[in-house]
Amino acid sequence: MIRKLFVWLFVALALGLSFYFYKELPSKMPSKFANFEGSPTAYTSKNLMLFIIPFAMIINSLSLSALSFMRKQGVTFKRLEKILDNISIAVNIVLLVLHCAIIYIGLGNEVNILLLLPIIVGITFVVTGNLLPRVQVKDTHKNALKQASYGMWHQVSRTVSYALFFGGLIMMFSILLPQNLILTSFFVILTLTIVSAFFFSYIRYTRSIKIN
């Protein structure tokens, strides 16, 4: 219940920002950022830019509510409910961050929107790392080989989840670095996170094979 409240809280915050800054924003707002400087390359009506992201957040929130309603009607969603809640929260957080950046730039501030990459990818990695171990694979048949395979999956997925979770956290904290170092640090952290996830999961995989 609390997770669902947070999902709609982010929607309300996005809409509140749109109405609050509506009069201060110009009639045309940045709609496209197609260069490495992350500066605007195209503009469109502020009515569209101020409400298209909150609309996407509403659709995301309604989808979550619909799934919860189906579960209450007897459809089996209980096992995935927390996972879906967390995914919806993450999506709305990412959209809210992007919405705030567009408003900030629309107010006449110069900022490289590419600097949002560490936050967006970091949130995605943290959420994925948190949810991956919850994807439990169970075997209803008493088959020793299958049970061993499922046990191996749980061990490998947990290893990958640690790499993604901590890598995502470090990415988000990288925005505290000097601006000229943020993107470089982000790509270095991204590469190390992916490599470490594959490396340590492979080690765990080979160890599981030897044990079994």
Side-chain angles (χ1 to χ4, degrees):
M1 183 64 182
I2 295 178
R3 292 183 179 89
K4 293 177 178 59
L5 289 176
F6 270 111
V7 168
W8 285 104
L9 178 62
F10 294 134
V11 174
L13 182 56
L15 287 172
L17 289 172
S18 296
F19 285 114
Y20 183 81
F21 289 106
Y22 186 86
K23 292 183 179 180
E24 298 182 34
L25 290 164
S27 58
K28 297 291 184 180
M29 290 183 60
S31 61
K32 188 177 181 181
F33 304 83
N35 55 50
F36 289 106
E37 290 76 27
S39 56
T41 56
Y43 294 81
T44 191
S45 168
K46 74 173 179 181
N47 291 326
L48 176 63
M49 293 308 299
L50 279 179
F51 296 103
I52 188 169
I53 292 181
F55 178 75
M57 295 171 71
I58 290 173
I59 295 299
N60 174 58
S61 303
L62 287 176
S63 299
L64 176 63
S65 299
L67 288 172
S68 298
F69 177 77
M70 292 173 66
R71 181 183 66 80
K72 291 178 181 179
Q73 299 306 308
V75 182
T76 307
F77 279 105
K78 186 174 183 179
R79 183 180 173 187
L80 298 176
E81 184 177 14
K82 289 184 179 180
I83 294 177
L84 294 172
D85 286 351
N86 289 334
I87 290 174
S88 294
I89 290 174
V91 169
N92 274 6
I93 289 176
V94 169
L95 290 175
L96 179 61
V97 169
L98 185 59
H99 187 57
C100 291
I102 291 174
I103 291 176
Y104 184 75
I105 295 171
L107 290 171
N109 301 292
E110 293 186 6
V111 62
N112 187 344
I113 200 168
L114 292 179
L115 298 180
L116 291 177
L117 275 175
I119 297 177
I120 293 174
V121 178
I123 291 173
T124 303
F125 274 29
V126 167
V127 172
T128 303
N130 186 45
L131 296 180
L132 195 58
R134 301 185 185 186
V135 182
Q136 300 293 322
V137 182
K138 295 182 180 180
D139 183 21
T140 57
H141 303 285
K142 295 182 179 180
N143 184 303
L145 180 60
K146 286 185 177 181
Q147 289 177 353
S149 299
Y150 296 146
M152 186 183 301
W153 154 254
H154 296 320
Q155 294 181 36
V156 171
S157 65
R158 188 170 294 277
T159 302
V160 173
S161 71
Y162 286 142
L164 295 180
F165 182 83
F166 289 109
L169 282 179
I170 296 171
M171 283 180 201
M172 288 189 285
F173 280 113
S174 70
I175 63 171
L176 300 176
L177 296 171
Q179 186 168 324
N180 61 327
L181 297 177
I182 292 178
L183 287 179
T184 302
S185 301
F186 162 70
F187 286 112
V188 171
I189 296 167
L190 176 64
T191 302
L192 291 175
T193 299
I194 294 174
V195 170
S196 62
F198 278 105
F199 177 74
F200 289 112
S201 62
Y202 177 75
I203 291 177
R204 179 61 66 90
Y205 170 75
T206 54
R207 287 179 179 176
S208 297
I209 290 178
K210 290 179 181 179
I211 294 174
N212 295 323

